[in-house]
Amino acid sequence: MRKPSRQAGGASQDAPLILFALLAVGVLIFVLWPTVAILKESLYPDGHFSLMYYQDLIEKNRRLIGNSLFIGFWTTLFAVFMGLCCALYVTYTNYRGKKTVLAVLMMTLISPPFMSSLSYIMLFGRRGLISWKLLGLHWNPYGPHGIILMESIGLASIAAFLIMAVLKGTDRDLERASLDLGAGRWATMLNVTFPLARPGIVTAGLIVFVRSLSDFGTPIFIGGSYNVLATHAYTTAVGSYDLPKAAAISTLLLVPALIAFLIYRRLMAKNSLFSIKPGGQEISESRLPPMVGAVVCTVVWGYVIFEIAKYGTILSGAFVKTWGVDFSFTGRHLEALKLAKMGSLFRSLKYAVITAVAAGLMGVLMARYLGRAKGIFARTIDFVADLPFILPGPFFGISYLLAFNWMPEAVLASGFLIVTNCVYRQLSLGIKSGISVMGQINPELEDAVRDQGGSSFFALKDVTIPLMTPAFAISFINTFTFTMTTVGGIIFLITPYTKVMTAEMFEAIQSGNIGASSAMASVIVVVTMTVNLIFSRLVLGGKKREAKKCIFG
C-alpha cells in the first residue's frame, strides 16, 4: 500500500540536509563575513572605534556624495525610460524589428561595462569620428553629461529585460476588460498597464540606481575632473592603498544599496521576476496610444542605431592604425593581442566556466531547499545570499580584500578569490530561477522514488536536478557572461598571476590605446557570445530533442 504523500516541508526535511548546511556555511563565510570585515575596517581603523573617515567624507568630500546621487538619479531616470520603451515595443506592439531590438539588448548584456565609454571616446571625443572628423567640432566631451549618457545606455538593457519579464506575465484580460468597458487606450495604459508593470519598473530603477552608484569605470574614462564616490573608492584602494578610508567610502555606497535591496526583496516576495510561465498571446495590433507608439519607436530605434554604431566603431577600431589620426587598415592590434594577451583571455575563460558551473549547481541545490523550507534559518540564508546581487561591486571587492588577505600566496595566485567573488555575486539569480522552476515540480515525484526504495540522494539526483535544467542554464549563461565582462569587484583582487582580459582592457583604455582596447573588446564579445550559443544548443537543445522523442516515440 502506497504511503501518503509527504508535504513540501516533509520532503525538504528528508533530503540530504548536510549538503544544504555546507552551502549555507559557504554563504555565511563568503558573503556575510566580508560584509562584516569591511564595516569593521571602516569603524575600527586602528583597533579602536572611530568615525573619523566618515566625518572626513561628509565634511570634506560632500561634493562627491552629491555628484554620485546626481549621476545616479538622472541615469536611473533615462535608463528606465529607455528600458520601458524597449519593453513596450517588444511586448505591446505589432511593429517590425522585434528580433533586432532583442538582439541588440542581448549584445549589451554580454559586453564589458566600459565598452560604451570606449565607443563614446571614439565617436565624440576630441578626435572622435563624428565630433572632430565629420563635424569639425572642438568641444569638451568629458563631464557629467557623458557619464549620464553612457551609463543610461549601458544599463537600459537590464531595465528592459526586468520590465519585459513583468509585462509578459501580466493578465491581458484586465486590459481587454478595460477597453470593452469603454476606457480608451490612454486610460487603460495609465490605470491598468502601468500599475501591473510597477514591480518591474521599480525593481529596474533600484538595480540601475545601485549599478550607477557603483560604476567607477565610466567616470574615470569620461568624467574628466568630475569625481564620484565609486571613483574615489577605487583610487583610494588601488592608488594610495588606504583600505580603512576605501572601506568607509564603500560603506557609504552601501547605504542606498541596502535601502534598494530591502525594497527589492519586498517586491520579489509578491512578484516573481523569474517566472518560466509562457508569455501572453501574439500581438495582432499595437495596444499603445498612437502618440506613445511614436515616442516608443523613436526612442527604441535611436537606441538600436547608437548601439549598432557603437559595436561597428569598436570593431573598426581594432583594424585602424591610429584612431582619429590614421584610419588606414592594419592587423597589428590583433597580432599584439595574440602575442601578449592570450594568456589573459584563456584565464578569463577558465574562471568564467568554473564560476558558471559552480554558481549554477549551487543555485539549483539551494533552490531545492529554500523553495520549500519555511524556517527562520532558511529565510536568513536566502536573505544573505541575495545581498551580493545588489551590493556595489567596489564594496564587495574591497570586502574580499580585507576578509581574505590572510590566505597563502599560492591560493591568491590561483584565482580562487576572483572565482568565489563572482560565484556569490551571481548566486542569487540561480536560486531565484531555481525556486521558480521548483514551483512547477510536484513534490510527490521525489516521494515516489523514496517509496520505491530509493534514497533522498537519488531522488535529488535523478528527479529534481534533471527537471531543473532550465534554471541551471539561466544561471550558467548569466554567470559566465558576468565573469567574462566584469571588472568592478574583481579589480581589487587581481594579481600579476590572475590578470583577466577585462583588466587588460581597462588598463589599455586608461593609457589611451584605442586600437588594443577595441581589439580586446571585440574578442571578449565574440568569445562570450560563442560560448553562450554553444551551451544553449547543447543543453537546452538536448532537452528539446528528448521532449520530442518522448512525444513522438
Side-chain angles (χ1 to χ4, degrees), residues 263-284:
I263 299 173
Y264 163 81
R265 289 272 304 183
R266 187 178 181 88
L267 288 171
M268 286 294 293
K270 298 178 181 179
N271 305 273
S272 174
L273 298 180
F274 298 95
S275 174
I276 60 167
K277 295 178 181 178
Q281 298 88 348
E282 285 292 322
I283 306 298
S284 58

Side-chain angles (χ1 to χ4, degrees), residues 216 220 229-242 246 249 492:
F216 63 84
I220 284 178
L229 279 175
T231 304
H232 194 41
Y234 169 75
T235 55
T236 301
V238 175
S240 59
Y241 205 71
D242 189 348
I249 299 170
F492 304 97

Side-chain angles (χ1 to χ4, degrees), residues 76 199 202-213 253-268 383 386-387 389-392:
T76 302
V202 174
T203 303
L206 294 173
I207 291 177
V208 167
F209 182 71
V210 173
R211 296 285 176 91
S212 174
L213 285 181
L253 291 173
L254 177 66
V255 175
L258 277 178
I259 295 172
F261 174 70
L262 293 174
I263 299 173
Y264 163 81
R265 289 272 304 183
R266 187 178 181 88
L267 288 171
M268 286 294 293
F383 179 87
D386 260 354
L387 272 173
F389 181 70
I390 206 165
L391 286 178

Side-chain angles (χ1 to χ4, degrees), residues 469-470 473-474 477 531-550:
T469 300
I474 291 172
I477 292 172
V531 172
N532 283 338
L533 289 174
I534 292 173
F535 178 82
S536 300
R537 177 65 64 88
L538 290 176
V539 176
L540 298 180
K543 297 297 289 186
K544 290 179 181 178
R545 287 191 295 270
E546 289 178 14
K548 287 181 180 180
K549 287 181 180 179
C550 292

Side-chain angles (χ1 to χ4, degrees), residues 449-465:
V449 173
R450 285 188 287 269
D451 289 345
Q452 296 299 318
S455 66
S456 297
F457 173 78
F458 284 104
L460 182 67
K461 179 176 72 74
D462 297 331
V463 176
T464 306
I465 290 181

Side-chain angles (χ1 to χ4, degrees), residues 54 57-58 65 213 229 247-257 395:
Y54 293 99
L57 285 170
I58 294 173
I65 301 174
L213 285 181
L229 279 175
I249 299 170
S250 300
T251 303
L252 281 183
L253 291 173
L254 177 66
V255 175
F395 178 92

